[in-house]
Amino acid sequence: MSSAKERNDDGFDWYVVRCFSSHEKKVKEFLTREIEDQGLEHKIKEILIPTETVVEIRSGKKRTKEKNFFPGYILVYTKYDEEVNNLVQAAPSCIGFLKAGKSDVTPTPLKKREVDRILGRVMDSEEMAEKGGVVDIPYKEGDIVKVIDGPFKEFDGTVQEVLTDKLKLRVLVSIFGRKTPVEVDLNQVESTT
């Protein structure tokens, strides 16, 4: 993270730019290249795609991936003017700066507390990534799952609790006609939907 976190009195602010979902990197690359080509480094200091590193467990396999927590949006630390607006509008897959209302001509910069919250979340994610990442568990309380491995194989049950820190689920299964809670690893279950 750059020192751009703090709002300066030199006219720079954080703005939100809308783009097509899953095209955020493409827009950032285009803008970065054009800023350099046109010598606009004095007007646009940073472009940020707010992401976090998550560990997904799908089909019993653990994998790490970057997840954008604001799909379709990027943040730009800039001195907003017509030249900057035109550059953003020219980017492929880009819709433009986010404005507070339809009648607004210029975009509204993010408030300092909003910027701090977003940048804090990005920095927390970077720290978590160093420790192995945040786990994205695809189940929630009330989900119906089928146990596919272990002593309760072939049992259907309802997720009673998600134990994120242990990477386990507490599932209620019917044993001899009674609902019994059992703990299973995430890779021992699959969704029935």
Side-chain angles (χ1 to χ4, degrees):
M1 245 347 88
S2 76
S3 60
K5 182 177 181 181
E6 294 300 321
R7 197 177 278 207
N8 296 327
D9 292 331
D10 58 3
F12 282 89
D13 282 308
W14 283 99
Y15 291 90
V16 178
V17 173
R18 294 175 53 208
C19 58
F20 298 149
S21 188
S22 74
H23 289 234
E24 298 88 359
K25 286 183 182 177
K26 179 179 176 182
V27 171
K28 180 180 179 179
E29 289 168 3
F30 174 85
L31 291 174
T32 302
R33 192 171 50 251
E34 288 299 308
I35 290 165
E36 191 175 303
D37 290 350
Q38 296 180 28
L40 295 176
E41 294 89 352
H42 64 287
K43 288 188 178 185
I44 301 175
K45 293 215 177 178
E46 189 171 351
I47 300 170
L48 174 69
I49 301 171
T51 59
E52 57 191 351
T53 303
V54 295
V55 177
E56 285 187 327
I57 298 180
R58 302 276 186 217
S59 303
K61 299 201 191 286
K62 192 173 168 183
R63 63 179 180 209
T64 304
K65 75 174 203 171
E66 285 290 309
K67 182 179 178 184
N68 186 345
F69 54 84
F70 294 128
Y73 297 96
I74 61 175
L75 303 179
V76 179
Y77 190 64
T78 184
K79 273 186 188 178
Y80 180 84
D81 65 8
E82 197 59 37
E83 188 175 20
V84 170
N85 184 57
N86 291 339
L87 174 65
V88 168
Q89 292 289 346
S93 304
C94 189
I95 298 166
F97 281 96
L98 186 64
K99 299 176 181 158
K102 290 185 179 185
S103 62
D104 288 346
V105 177
T106 60
T108 306
L110 290 171
K111 294 180 173 117
K112 182 178 182 332
R113 71 176 189 280
E114 294 171 321
V115 172
D116 289 344
R117 184 175 48 87
I118 293 167
L119 294 179
R121 187 170 171 188
V122 169
M123 291 170 74
D124 286 348
S125 175
E126 290 170 358
E127 290 171 12
M128 286 297 292
E130 292 170 8
K131 297 176 186 173
V134 177
V135 177
D136 182 25
I137 297 178
Y139 307 105
K140 63 185 182 313
E141 286 182 33
D143 284 354
I144 307 296
V145 294
K146 181 180 193 91
V147 180
I148 58 170
D149 191 27
F152 301 100
K153 185 176 181 178
E154 301 301 322
F155 279 79
D156 287 342
T158 304
V159 176
Q160 181 183 32
E161 185 179 359
V162 178
L163 307 167
T164 308
D165 54 332
K166 295 173 156 183
L167 296 178
K168 292 182 180 267
L169 299 174
R170 183 166 291 127
V171 178
L172 286 175
V173 296
S174 182
I175 301 174
F176 303 120
R178 293 186 113 167
K179 295 283 183 183
T180 306
V182 296
E183 276 190 21
V184 293
D185 291 333
L186 292 174
N187 61 355
Q188 290 181 302
V189 297
E190 66 182 19
S191 179
T192 60
T193 56

